[in-house]
Amino acid sequence: MKNWAIASIKELVFLSLPSGLATLFVMSGVLVFLRIVADVDSIENNLLPINTTASTVIINIMLIFFMVGISLGTASATMVSQNMGARNYQRAELYAWTTVKLGMYALGFLGILLVFWPEFFLGLFLPENKDVVEFGKQLVIQK
């Protein structure tokens, strides 16, 4: 039993290491980005860190949207792997491509909502701070 546990742990580490490293690099990039934005706020001598606050809220909104894609990916991986295990390759491929289409439609729809109504999404996080909402709106629609 000990050999099996050690072999399983090695395999899990081997399989999860690339994803873990990718996540580490992405989050490091976000950290560097927010540090640069905070420096801009200090250079501009803002009493309220408008740039940092708006950027953080936009990142949080994006993370909520990404959860849709992550959940679709998890569900798809389950369905595809079950059908691959049952040697039903056509059905596995159908699940994969259906998930791709569903993800494109869902995230495209959410993106369109964000572009046309950014103040709604920003207002969910900052209902009483109109300056930050207005600045965040400019960041979202790039005016």
Side-chain angles (χ1 to χ4, degrees):
M1 193 63 143
K2 283 185 179 181
N3 290 339
W4 180 82
I6 291 172
S8 294
I9 291 171
K10 284 181 180 179
E11 186 175 0
L12 286 172
V13 168
F14 177 75
L15 291 173
S16 64
L17 192 61
S19 176
L21 289 173
T23 302
L24 177 70
F25 284 116
V26 169
M27 291 298 108
S28 297
V30 170
L31 181 66
V32 169
F33 168 74
L34 288 175
R35 174 61 191 190
I36 291 168
V37 171
D39 287 345
V40 169
D41 272 333
S42 72
I43 290 169
E44 292 179 354
N45 291 322
N46 290 336
L47 296 175
L48 176 68
I50 293 174
N51 299 315
T52 305
T53 305
S55 297
T56 302
V57 169
I58 291 169
I59 289 171
N60 288 336
I61 291 169
M62 288 179 7
L63 290 174
I64 291 170
F65 287 6
F66 290 160
M67 292 303 291
V68 173
I70 291 169
S71 63
L72 286 171
T74 302
S76 176
T78 301
M79 299 306 294
V80 168
S81 61
Q82 283 182 349
N83 283 283
M84 293 289 285
R87 300 194 191 288
N88 192 345
Y89 303 115
Q90 288 180 333
R91 193 167 181 189
E93 185 177 2
L94 177 66
Y95 277 121
W97 285 112
T98 301
T99 304
V100 168
K101 290 176 192 173
L102 184 60
M104 285 178 20
Y105 296 144
L107 292 172
F109 177 72
L110 289 172
I112 288 169
L113 289 178
L114 181 61
V115 167
F116 286 106
W117 294 286
E119 55 277 328
F120 169 76
F121 292 100
L122 293 164
L124 292 174
F125 290 88
L126 303 161
E128 65 278 334
N129 198 326
K130 301 301 179 199
D131 291 337
V132 176
V133 169
E134 190 58 36
F135 184 76
K137 181 179 171 183
Q138 293 173 12
L139 289 177
V140 169
I141 57 178
Q142 295 295 312
K143 281 191 176 177

